[in-house]
Amino acid sequence: RNPREIESYFQLPVIGHVRDPIMGRIAYTANGRGKDYQADREAFRIIRRNLESLDRETPLRSVVVTSTVPEEGKTTVAGSLAFATAIAGRRTLLIDCDLRRPTLSARLGVEQVPGISDFLAGEATPQEILRTVEFGEPSSTNGNAVTSDGDSTSGTLHKLVFIPSGSPTSRAAELLGSTRFEAFLEQVTAVYDIVILDSSPLLLVADTLEMIPHVEG
């Protein structure tokens, strides 16, 4: 019922707290930008900072965000955390590895195909699946621009690199557990400061369990 109980039962640190109203949104895109969501953007800055503080000597380079069942907020957390990390000046790669019910492409307004499933199936190159998302940071102070929801934005453009889920597949678990996926993660973690992966819920399918051995957190 509270963070202390979580830490006591599971012996794991609570790295952040996110409000219900931001669920189903991305805190830095159009549907999560208004002044009502300023506190949520700050919450993701805190999560980003606490993740970096878990091990200062060996920072996490790849992180899977998951949940037990659908609609618990994993895509909101994965997407918003990636934006917060990019704003902090980190070279950030966000990958939609929820090959069953992908939603990140729609939330970010980019084409879903080709994506990671196409690359893992040998039907697309890394260059073909990469998307660059440019965005301005919403600001609570007077900025250089004002969005339609009345939220001011800074004049600085930030960049986030995104890989969508790609074409629908019936081989999600096999693709995400493949040596090709493992080799791909090794390559991108050598280029980016952090790779954040959205995933399928743990209790429903084996997809995320296949990914966990290949990531650091």
Side-chain angles (χ1 to χ4, degrees):
R1 296 180 183 275
N2 60 63
R4 289 184 179 179
E5 285 188 309
I6 294 174
E7 293 177 326
S8 173
Y9 281 114
F10 296 104
Q11 299 298 303
L12 293 170
V14 175
I15 62 170
H17 175 264
V18 181
R19 301 186 315 141
D20 283 343
I22 195 63
M23 292 303 160
R25 305 170 183 266
I26 302 295
Y28 295 88
T29 59
N31 69 351
R33 291 189 69 155
K35 293 182 179 179
D36 292 342
Y37 300 106
Q38 289 175 4
D40 300 300
R41 293 191 286 272
E42 190 62 34
F44 287 109
R45 293 189 186 98
I46 292 171
I47 293 174
R48 186 268 304 172
R49 191 69 184 88
N50 285 341
L51 268 179
E52 294 177 348
S53 301
L54 288 177
D55 189 341
R56 293 183 181 276
E57 294 185 0
T58 310
L60 291 173
R61 301 295 296 271
S62 55
V63 178
V64 165
V65 181
T66 190
S67 63
T68 54
V69 294
E71 300 183 2
E72 289 189 327
K74 61 179 180 53
T75 298
T76 291
V77 172
S80 299
L81 176 61
F83 274 80
T85 306
I87 285 174
R90 312 291 192 269
R91 292 169 297 180
T92 305
L93 173 63
L94 173 63
I95 309 178
D96 190 352
C97 291
D98 186 349
L99 305 185
R100 312 275 181 161
R101 297 177 60 187
T103 59
L104 269 174
S105 297
R107 294 190 193 184
L108 299 182
V110 302
E111 292 292 329
Q112 183 172 310
V113 179
I116 189 66
S117 66
D118 304 288
F119 168 76
L120 295 176
E123 298 173 355
T125 66
Q127 292 74 23
E128 290 174 327
I129 65 176
L130 292 173
R131 314 280 198 276
T132 299
V133 179
E134 292 188 343
F135 63 100
E137 179 181 6
S139 173
S140 58
T141 59
N142 290 331
N144 296 329
V146 178
T147 64
S148 59
D149 57 20
D151 195 21
S152 61
T153 61
S154 67
T156 303
L157 274 181
H158 302 279
K159 292 184 179 181
L160 169 70
V161 181
F162 171 59
I163 297 178
S165 61
S167 303
T169 177
S170 60
R171 301 173 52 236
E174 291 81 358
L175 294 176
L176 295 172
S178 66
T179 56
R180 185 174 175 87
F181 182 69
E182 181 180 10
F184 177 72
L185 272 185
E186 290 179 357
Q187 293 172 357
V188 294
T189 52
V191 174
Y192 294 91
D193 295 323
I194 188 166
V195 179
I196 298 172
L197 305 96
D198 193 11
S199 66
S200 298
L202 282 166
L203 294 185
L204 302 183
V205 292
D207 305 5
T208 305
L209 295 175
E210 295 286 356
M211 296 166 55
I212 287 175
H214 306 319
V215 298
E216 296 180 359

